Amino acid sequence: MKLIKPIATGLCFALLLSACTPKMSFTNSSVIPAATGTIAVKKDKNENYTLAVQVKNMAEAKNLTPAKDTYLVWMKQDDRSVKKLGQLSPSGKTLTASLKATAVAKPQVVFITAEDNVDVRYPAGQTILTTEK
């Protein structure tokens, strides 16, 4: 009986932590089938959302068909507007990349596109990974 209260408290604490840090996963890519990734979303003390994007097994953008220059990370917000979060540059043996970004609105969908240059204002290239089902 004495163990029930600490276990229940621990479970409640774990649920609270998981509610504060939802994790989104990218769906399988038809463009780069080996590519995988996750996004951790947290709300900070200023009521902003911090996003930590982690991907691996990304082919170099120049090796895509057609060849591209870079990968960009975007998010759709509640009002369906799209915001560019930043650039991914896969490197190393497992072609990993990460990005940390801050947004005022909660992300509804996060996606990665292959683009001709980093300065594009709206996604125009092929979608490589997305959290949308």
Side-chain angles (χ1 to χ4, degrees), residues 1 22 52 94 98:
M1 234 20 198
T94 57
S98 62

Side-chain angles (χ1 to χ4, degrees), residues 61-95:
K62 67 182 180 184
N63 293 337
L64 296 175
T65 304
K68 296 294 181 178
D69 184 55
T70 190
Y71 292 112
L72 296 178
V73 181
W74 309 85
M75 69 174 247
K76 285 183 188 174
Q77 304 174 121
D78 282 338
D79 63 1
R80 304 306 287 169
S81 65
V82 176
K83 177 185 177 186
K84 180 167 57 172
L85 297 176
Q87 180 181 18
L88 286 176
S89 300
S91 64
K93 203 176 216 181
T94 57
L95 293 169

